[in-house]
Amino acid sequence: MPTNFWPSAAELHRFMPEIILTLFGTAIMVLEPLTRAKKMLAWLAALALALAIGFALFAMNFPGTAFSGMIVADGFATFFRVLVCGVGLLTILLSLDYLDRENHQQGEYYALLLFSIVGQCVMASANELIMVFIGIEISSIASYVLAGYLRDDPRNNESAIKYFLLGSFATAFLLYGIAWIYGLTGTTNLSEIRAVLGNANFAQSPALVGLAAALLSVGFAFKVSAAPFQMWAPDVYQGAPAPVTAFMTAGPKAAAFAVFLRVFVTAFEPVSDRWVPLVGVVALATMVVGNLAALRQSNIKRLLAYSSIANAGYVLVAVAAHSEVGTQAVMFYLASYAIMNVGAFAVVSHFARKGERFVAIDDFSGLAERQPAMAALLAIFLLSLIGVPLTAGFFGKFYIFRAALDSHLVWLTVAGLLNSAIAAFYYLRILVVMYMHAPGEAAERLEPLSPTLNATIWAAALATLAFGVFPGPLLDLAGRWVLGR
Amino acid sequence: MDLPLPLPIQAVPLSAYLVLSAVLFSLGICGFLFRRNLITIFMSIELMLNAVNLSFVAFSYQMKQVDGQIYSFFVMVVAAAEAAVGLAIILTVFKNRETLEVDDVDRLKL
Amino acid sequence: MSVILFGVFALIAVACAVNLVLQRHPVTSALSLIGVMGSLAVLYLLLGAEFIAAVQVIVYAGAIMVLFLFVIMLLNAGAEEKIPGKSLTAKLLGLPVFLIFLGVVAFLIQKYSSANAPVEFGAFTGGGPREVGRALFTTYLLPFEVTSVLILIAILGAVVLAKKEID
Amino acid sequence: MQESQQLWLIPIFPLLGFLLNGTLGKRMPKAFINAAAVGSVVLSFLWVVKVLAALGSLEAPHIERYFTWFAAGTFSVGVDFAVDRLTSVMLLVVTGIGSLIHIYAVGYMAHEDGYYRFFAYLNLFMFFMLVLVLGANFLILFIGWEGVGLCSYLLIGFYFLENFATDAGKKAFIVNRVGDFGFSLAMFLIVIHFGTLDFGTVFGKAAAMTPETSAGVITAICLLLLVGATGKSAQVPLYVWLPDAMAGPTPVSALIHAATMVTAGVYMVARSSSLFNLAPIAMETVAIVGLLTAFFAATMGLAQNDIKKVFAYSTVSQLGYMFVGLGVGAYSAGMFHVVTHAFFKALLFLGAGSVIHACHHEQDMRHMGGLRKKIPLTFWTLCCAWVAIAGIPPFSGFHSKDAILLAAHAHAPWMYWVGVVTAGMTAFYVSRAMFMTFFGEYRGHAHPHESPFVMTLPLIVLAILSLGGGQIHIPDWLAPVLGEEHAAHETSLVVISVVAGALGIALAYFMYVVSPGLPDALANRFKTLHTLIYNKYFVDEVYDVSIVTPIAQGSRDLLWKGVDAGFIDGIVNGAGSLARGIGGGLRYLQAGNIRGYATWVAAGAVFLVVAMTVMGGIR
Amino acid sequence: MLLNAVLFLPLIGFLIALILPTDLVKRFALGFSLLMFVVSLGLIGPVLANPGVYSFETDVEWINSPMIRYHIGIDGLSLWLVILTTFLTPLAVLISWNYIDRRIKEYYAFLILLAFGMIGVFVSLDLFVYYVFWEVGLVPMYFLIGIWGHERRIYAAVKFFLYTMVGSVLMLAAIVYLYLKSGTFDYTVILSQMASGQLKLTPEEALPLFLAFFFAFAIKVPLFPLHTWLPDAHVEAPTAGSVMLASVMLKMGTYGLVRYCLPLFPSAARECAPWIAALAIIGIVYGALVALVQPNMKKLVAYSSVSHLGFVVLGIFSFNQVALDGAVYQMLNHGISTGALFMLVGMMYERRHSLEIADYGGVANPAPNLSIVFLITTLASVGLPTLNNFVGEFLVLQGAAMANFGWAVFAALGVILSACYMLWLYQRVFYGRASEDLAHHMPDLNLREWVAITPLVVLMVWMGVAAQGFLSPVTVSNARTLEQTKVNVDFRVATPRTPAPEVARAD
């Protein structure tokens, strides 16, 4: 047993992003009753995220584990830390207008957001099942509250209660799985678990390891909204405030994938024959369910929710590829998906107006005629979601299916590609409505975007295009920081 | 403590604790699926967490390590936090809908 | 002795759990859950987890469940109405899922678990406050600190969701 | 190397005429149009004369190669023109008669709308016809072949306001296309087996083949060529377009549908004679097709009342004769008949045009009669054609028809007899037309008047040619190209055919001049037969019912509505609906109920637990 | 480099069009597309000088992992297709001049952007880059149909998009598979690997890969029975959309067949050739028969496209020089003549606001020039010698006859039928007596329309008479393509009747 538990400076550096975020979160909490300039708090939160990104990158100078191996600051963690902080940043920019409009401009919101991101950063860097659990819980509980943030809105309540109950339910399974893996291996440290499982003298029944892995994967599958654990997602995403939905589809989901990959690829590598094929099956089911159900949606938030399920399916295809290329693809895809999805939600959230009145797809009628720029931006995000070349979404899909083919998952690749063709149909519907229908009431009386929102959306759109034309840097980054086996 | 008792089983294997844990966990699932009061459902989750805790402690015993117990300690902390937030959410739902009937919280669908 | 204790408290735990599932009234369910927790505390003791047993009673059965009861009272929640539930899926799949899950897990434990050594009271005494505290502030320092964030969120969340309108 | 004769100028003149009239004609005075149209053709004629004079006896073909049209790999097609004796005959006929008819048309079309358009088309026709004749390979010939078909289409449909005209034009084009289908396939086979379409090379290589290897292929090629020829030259079973083609202005009927274009098939077969000679079965087929056509067309001609229709069936019938000539190996006789037929049939049509012109566009002979005195010049010139076509010696028709009949007898006597019967019928229906038109009392309501000089001049020239054309010894001129004739000159056979002609005239005189009530009585007496003949054996109707309607109906109901909209789009849209349906179904799982969702989570957990414990062996 | 300029000018034009004030866009589009055309003319000389190799090659790294190179080049096969694209774009602008009266800016921007995707398809030499352009072309066309089309435009646009998408995703899978086998997306490298035997595809691999490519192309062509998106798309598209769709976009499919399907998977292509030829022939006859009974002009022309492109596919899968040359030539011909037909139909639509044949009749009288131009186009379309289509059709049929005489027999039926439907169309629309109403609303061609249509008519004659000038580079490229189809051929497949010779196994 090591005697000195006081963390070294390097260890603190490895955990610095979380520390920064927590400090700022707490500060915002404290400042909230003291100031009327709530937007200042938002900018403070944004600053915190920017700093966190900086520290996350800085932590790359001190790769390694910290706090008795509880967390690890490696490239993979950094990538996702930066990603979730980035998503958080975008979310804050979206939320400014939204909360103003809903008369809920409060510091708590930003504090919760920061705390949620702390949880996601912990997930990204966790090297211990207990940290995984706590990270997930931090992220989730904050999200539960955020989903129900507008507490007088029944949709928000319902979203929150559903998310909360089902989330806790799934977490119980996850926890049960942790208990089992602890019981079988005597440890919860991921690399130690791997060492134990990989040990030739490992005496425990592989079936029980399977049981543990299955229970764990229930929790993760729920968080990434894989079929058949996806059912919460549409309801929750539809009901939650639009910026929160944007956040949830991008940030927590990315973090959940990160932790999913880390746990399974690191710890359960020795029993990969038990879970890899199943990931393929689940991926297929997820894509099919998400895409087919999305075909009939009339609410754009709900549609994007189903789309996020389907997208989770694509990512799972890359996970099923079970290779470094696959992991790289996951990373690239999640990053690009986060950008385009947040962008899409930004437009949707602005368009919805107070009380999210205009969220039916038909409300977007003729947007292109009244607000061509806004329509064009949304179109870019949608085309990217379809996977049209020269957008980030295309390369995301491309890398995923390349990884799948690389692992000889021909059937899954073909099924996935066909699914992406089906998906085109419902994204096209939005384009159809925007571009090809006569302007409706909602499009007629749309005030222009505020500068921050405008900048946010433009930035997201440019990023979508930039990664669509030059995906190299991002992919290189993902390649350099990919999770080693 | 080994009193000669007229019992069919002389000692309880650890697996019995695990089975008990499984039973309680399953009953928790069962409660979630069949109870219709939001609070009861939430309590079912607590039951599941308790079941998991039992497993943790049992494994801790098996390993002769304290770590399992630490985990169950964390689970309790989390459960407490969840309880605070969960009950607050239930409160808001009740305030808006005047009901705790879970089946009535189904406006977001299809 | 441990056999009897286990037998009795396991039985109580299961009975209370079944009761929790069967009762319509949330208060009854809550009381049953307290029963479960209490009996589990005894089993923790049997397993040498003194500290956890104490926390189980003080924090869990005491504080958390009191919160539950408080909310039940606050909302004046009555018994569930005797109307059929709306979820066909739960009705059709619920019981089979429950039985299969239990069956499979129990079967796996019985058949494959290596944990078949008899449990003897006092065989493991590493679960005192001293050991727990040491672990908590050395190896598990980080999670311990991080849970504080969790608590913060809980406070913040409760405040956000329950506080009065600002206007 | 021969000296270049600038053969390309021959077709280029009319092409220029076409371009001038086509682009500027609308805004130009008639004089300009006339000059461009007639002038170009006359120039072309003169150039032909000049070229032929320069080339002299044409012992060997004179070939001029201009440029590669297209090439693919080793296969290439050049734009090559050639003149040999066969070509020379056709060139003279085409440009000569073409010039006459152009001149005639100046008068005939004087009051029509679209005057410039008419001459543009006519010039274009001349261009293509000359290309057809001059082409030194099958594909250049095919250009002309299709081109004349196009012009025929345009000119038949000249009165495009009228449905019957445009219908007829379309029919002509499409039926010709059926023939071209055969022609094309023949060309494909030629290229496959000879690697080129150049006449000289192909014929040379074919002759060099051993009979065993050549028989099948060359027979197939020849039969396919024959299909092409039946289309263009209106043979059974593709003759149906020609009678309808009379919807065009009469000069067109004379030029295209009597003198030149329809003989293109004959020309093509004659051109390919060295192939046909290697394929006896194909030859026999040619003869039989010709004979059938000659006979049946003649019977159909018996009962027509439209003067142009009579001559149209006559044309079909006469073309049949030519084919008989080709089929029995008397190519030069066939070509001879092409020439004489060009003279007298052009004359007949132009004369008929003159009659029609006189009667203010009345074509039904029942509304004519007694025109002999009113338009005497037309009458007398037409008489020249009459005697020529009836085979009265020593006029042109007699010589050529006789040559064919004699050759047919040498080949198979029964063919001769059918030919003789046909000759009798020919004499009869032409006479009938003459009698109905020019004799008896005028039965119409117009005020017939003689045509202007521009119209009568060509009539006179053609009349002279019809009478004396037989003296031109075309078979001798052609013999080196198309092979010698072997038929012995049997006087008895000649007499029989002449008698048949005379009988036909006599019968017609008896029926239509002596006792005019007789035809109707006979028609009533043999009602079925008359109905059959009068309605042209219902061939058009049969084609309609057996081909046109099934294709149209089948395409609409089965293919379009059935396969396309029903089946394929059914699958496509069905897949869409299925996906949406499944999506709809999935939506209903998503009932909004938390317990339901939890059930799925638990069920999923059960699935994963079972799957992961079982997968990789449950141990 | 010039080719880069040709390729990227449209993109630049698109961006400029987006920021220009609306009232300038129309003139800008015309001027800019003319500029594109003029610039592209510069490609001709160098390519003609050396049509068998890729001229104007640019080969720079785009993305390094996986290695994707921006590799473009142009040879005799793609030259005319590129020129065709740039040539038709200004005409498409002209033809839209008055037709498009709303959302003008977007319209012309998309029209120019369309050229970007299409040129890119024809010049890319990297499979990945190729796929990118393939998809990029889809988007502007989707909007062109969907926004400026007729009543059922949305159905048509979505159908068009999804049909193509389904095909192309499979192609993407095949491209990625090839990459994984060969380690490169570079088409030329893959070919040289195949030639050197470094890359070998087993028949079990080659066939699915071939089919994946083929399926994508067959949808685009479109080959029977995957054609049903085409009539809808054509009928609903605005005139310029139809023109670009028929003239260039469909060629993306046939071009793909020649460029990729044959050289990459020679054995599989040969193995499937009889089946594909059968489909092509069915398409020829079927398209013609269905065209015969269409009551809508655009639909008729659309089905005629199905028929015409059947010839192209037949030529491609006849595997000989004659047929392949014919097929490529026929691509261009179809682009010219069908493009012209759509333009003319569009002009009539502008006058009468109907596409139903029954609403016309007697147009020749009020609008003689229009009817003459239409007639010439019709004749080109039915394959009259001296007009362009004849050469292509003849070569295709000739080549098909060389491959299998039976194919030619059935395919030639299409030639008969084409006369039937086109002439019948012509008769019903132009002949007869015009109703009072029609006569008043059917002015003859105006100057703008003359300018738009004349180049096409000139080309019809030019390409029909001086075919060799256009064909010679194509022939050279095709000879090379055919040479490539002999590499790595499993001879068991190529010559089924002879027992497998030992020699063939040796390579």
Side-chain angles (χ1 to χ4, degrees), chain D residues 333 336-337 340-341 344 395-405:
Chain D
F336 189 20
H337 200 58
T340 57
H341 176 254
F344 60 70
F395 307 118
S396 60
F398 161 76
H399 290 281
S400 54
K401 196 186 281 183
D402 222 42
I404 290 172
L405 286 176

Side-chain angles (χ1 to χ4, degrees), chain D residues 22 26-27, chain E residues 94-95 98 239 339-351 360 363-377 426 430 438-458 460:
Chain D
K26 196 175 183 182
R27 281 173 291 276
Chain E
L94 272 179
I95 204 73
N98 293 334
T239 304
L341 275 178
F342 275 121
M343 279 193 187
L344 291 163
V345 170
M347 291 173 187
M348 294 204 285
Y349 179 82
E350 277 181 60
R351 290 160 164 74
Y360 291 87
V363 173
N365 224 9
N369 292 330
L370 175 66
S371 60
I372 286 167
V373 175
F374 200 105
L375 180 66
I376 297 172
T377 313
Y426 193 79
F430 289 94
L438 181 90
H440 280 118
H441 291 99
M442 196 54 68
D444 213 339
L445 294 177
N446 61 29
L447 182 64
R448 176 179 56 79
E449 289 166 336
W450 270 119
V451 173
I453 198 73
T454 309
L456 291 173
V457 175
V458 169
M460 283 177 216

Side-chain angles (χ1 to χ4, degrees), chain D residues 69-72 146 150 160-162 166-167 170 173 177 181 188 191-192 555 559-560 564 569 572-573, chain E residues 155 159 163 227-228 286 289 294 303 325 379 382 385 397-398 409 415 423-424 427 431-433 464-465 468:
Chain D
W69 185 12
F70 57 82
E146 287 273 313
L150 160 70
F160 62 78
L161 297 178
E162 309 300 336
T166 53
D167 273 339
K170 188 183 63 184
F173 198 90
R177 269 278 158 131
F181 167 72
F188 301 151
V191 175
I192 291 173
S555 300
L559 294 184
W560 180 33
D564 224 64
D569 256 6
V572 172
N573 293 335
Chain E
Y155 171 75
K159 197 172 178 183
Y163 242 110
H227 63 276
T228 56
Y286 177 91
L289 284 175
Q294 292 306 313
Y303 277 107
D325 286 1
L379 294 170
V382 304
L397 288 172
Q398 179 65 63
V409 174
V415 179
L423 292 183
W424 194 27
Q427 182 193 14
Y431 290 156
R433 291 179 195 279
V465 176
Q468 188 54 24

Side-chain angles (χ1 to χ4, degrees), chain A residues 126-177:
Chain A
N127 194 34
E128 250 276 354
L129 287 175
I130 204 71
M131 286 308 285
V132 168
F133 172 62
I134 292 175
I136 287 182
E137 279 298 318
I138 294 175
S139 161
S140 305
I141 294 181
S143 307
Y144 303 151
V145 181
L146 285 173
Y149 187 72
L150 304 176
R151 60 179 183 277
D152 298 323
D153 186 331
R155 286 176 295 181
N156 274 237
N157 298 152
E158 186 171 336
S159 167
I161 189 80
K162 279 182 173 164
Y163 195 18
F164 167 68
L165 286 178
L166 291 165
S168 308
F169 187 57
T171 312
F173 283 92
L174 173 82
L175 208 51
Y176 200 26

